[in-house]
Amino acid sequence: MPQNAFTTSTTQPEAKPDPKSPLAATEGNQNTVQTSSTNGVSPLAHSLSPATRLKHKLQHSRDLIVCPGVYDGLSARIAQSAGFETLYMFNAPSPLDAPPAPSFANHRPNAGPVTIDQTVNQYIRANVAAFHIEDQVLTKRCGHLSGKKVVTNDVFLSRIRAARAAIDKAQADIQLIARTDANQQLGYDECITRLKAARDWGADVGLLEGFKSKEEAARAVKELAPWPLLLNIVENGHSPLITVDEAREMGFRIMIFSFAGLAPAYMAMRAAYAKLKDDGITGIQGTGVGPKVLFDVCGLQAAVHVDEQAGGEDYKSIITASG
């Protein structure tokens, strides 16, 4: 099942919480929805699903949620160890168990209503907080490649309706993101038409992929306000680079850096492999990065804690061993 996840990293000033919201009683005047167990979150906040926490944050704050892209469990763990609480995972299942966090999933664009209904229910059971439904054709490609083609607006909206119906039937808080890639083929005005229609059919967030200028991005936020928009940043892609501060100023609510994990990983691995090929070593020696460091990132200490609490001895040697 393809999953995309995002996590809030830094806390920005927010509006006062709605006293009727499920977090108001325990969060007081601090209505930032945290997801990390290290940030003093109330027991009630922990009991809420990732989708409910995300929904609350979108509805009761003006915070910009900044999300690094991750592509597997290890990259997700690394991002969370760096302080990010929401992650964006694209088109890959995570083989490693990562700590709970609001997460996005990018649904296959060619699916019909029946498949969408089934997949939405799978996402809900998997505790995914939000997912994309988009308007590309069967042979979908990355939003920052040339030659994209989209289906008609009627087909796109049938996908949105199917997703909305599945969410409502399940009485879930999972957030529906309507994504259009029509800018490349049909132009900006068609994108706005499609997103407005998707909003009318119950999409919670909009995503216009492939802005051609910063001015176009700012214009979209204004034309669709107060509906929250997600901004996808792909360095060296087809759109201009927009910084976090610029996106916040424009009024975007969610910002994802899709290749924040994959591109640096490619560069680092390529350099290490080249050094091994040329020099006979990887260059890792002396960095302090050994097996135990990596296992700790992947949750070793949590496993040790569970074992100790139960009186087990499976991990006792790891505590004193250097790895």
Side-chain angles (χ1 to χ4, degrees):
M1 179 174 63
Q3 293 189 10
N4 301 348
F6 75 90
T7 325
T8 51
S9 55
T10 56
T11 302
Q12 303 298 330
E14 299 178 341
K16 292 184 178 180
D18 183 346
K20 297 181 180 179
S21 77
L23 295 182
T26 56
E27 297 298 322
N29 289 330
Q30 173 56 271
N31 67 336
T32 301
V33 182
Q34 304 286 354
T35 59
S36 171
S37 59
T38 62
N39 287 319
V41 186
S42 69
L44 176 58
H46 268 311
S47 70
L48 299 176
S49 71
T52 300
R53 300 202 302 271
L54 173 61
K55 180 179 180 180
H56 177 274
K57 195 172 187 69
L58 289 173
Q59 291 183 350
H60 302 287
S61 82
R62 300 305 304 170
D63 194 8
L64 172 63
I65 302 169
V66 181
C67 319
V70 299
Y71 58 91
D72 63 6
L74 178 59
S75 60
R77 285 282 189 171
I78 294 171
Q80 289 187 313
S81 71
F84 287 96
E85 298 165 358
T86 309
L87 313 175
Y88 182 85
M89 176 168 278
F90 55 97
N91 294 336
S94 172
L96 297 175
D97 178 35
S103 59
F104 286 130
N106 189 2
H107 189 269
R108 298 299 183 185
N110 56 302
V114 174
T115 303
I116 290 175
D117 177 87
Q118 295 170 344
T119 305
V120 169
N121 281 283
Q122 290 175 346
Y123 287 154
I124 292 171
R125 289 194 295 271
N127 255 348
V128 172
F131 64 97
H132 299 179
I133 291 290
E134 59 187 85
D135 58 1
Q136 284 201 51
V137 297
L138 172 62
T139 51
K140 170 192 163 47
R141 59 189 64 189
C142 169
H144 288 262
L145 293 177
S146 300
K148 292 188 297 181
K149 294 183 179 180
V150 295
V151 297
T152 65
N153 195 28
D154 287 341
V155 172
F156 174 49
L157 293 179
S158 73
R159 297 171 180 175
I160 298 296
R161 287 194 295 268
R164 183 76 261 167
I167 294 170
D168 292 345
K169 183 178 180 180
Q171 297 182 333
D173 284 334
I174 189 169
Q175 299 291 280
L176 169 56
I177 304 169
R179 165 178 164 169
T180 178
D181 286 76
N183 203 13
Q184 186 180 99
Q185 181 184 357
L186 302 175
Y188 172 84
D189 289 340
E190 176 63 18
C191 289
I192 297 300
T193 297
R194 291 184 176 214
L195 289 179
K196 285 182 176 180
R199 178 187 61 189
D200 292 344
W201 280 107
D204 301 295
V205 180
L207 166 55
L208 197 164
E209 179 71 326
F211 286 115
K212 298 176 182 177
S213 67
K214 293 183 179 182
E215 291 74 21
E216 194 174 70
R219 178 184 170 191
V221 174
K222 291 180 180 179
E223 290 193 29
L224 293 166
W227 196 45
L229 289 190
L230 183 154
L231 175 63
N232 181 24
I233 293 298
V234 177
E235 292 91 340
N236 304 313
H238 281 186
S239 294
L241 178 62
I242 297 175
T243 68
V244 170
D245 287 340
E246 288 174 327
R248 184 180 293 115
E249 180 68 23
M250 291 177 186
F252 282 97
R253 296 302 316 284
I254 302 168
M255 188 178 190
I256 59 177
F257 288 80
S258 297
F259 284 82
L262 189 59
Y266 161 76
M267 293 188 293
M269 286 189 285
R270 183 177 176 83
Y273 296 152
K275 188 171 184 62
L276 177 60
K277 179 69 173 177
D278 297 337
D279 302 334
I281 58 173
T282 62
I284 297 173
Q285 185 69 23
T287 64
V289 179
K292 191 172 184 300
V293 170
L294 297 176
F295 294 148
D296 282 342
V297 170
C298 295
L300 174 61
Q301 293 307 312
V304 170
H305 178 71
V306 170
D307 189 61
E308 284 183 333
Q309 290 292 99
E313 298 185 353
D314 291 342
Y315 290 86
K316 183 175 294 185
S317 62
I318 296 178
I319 300 175
T320 55
S322 62

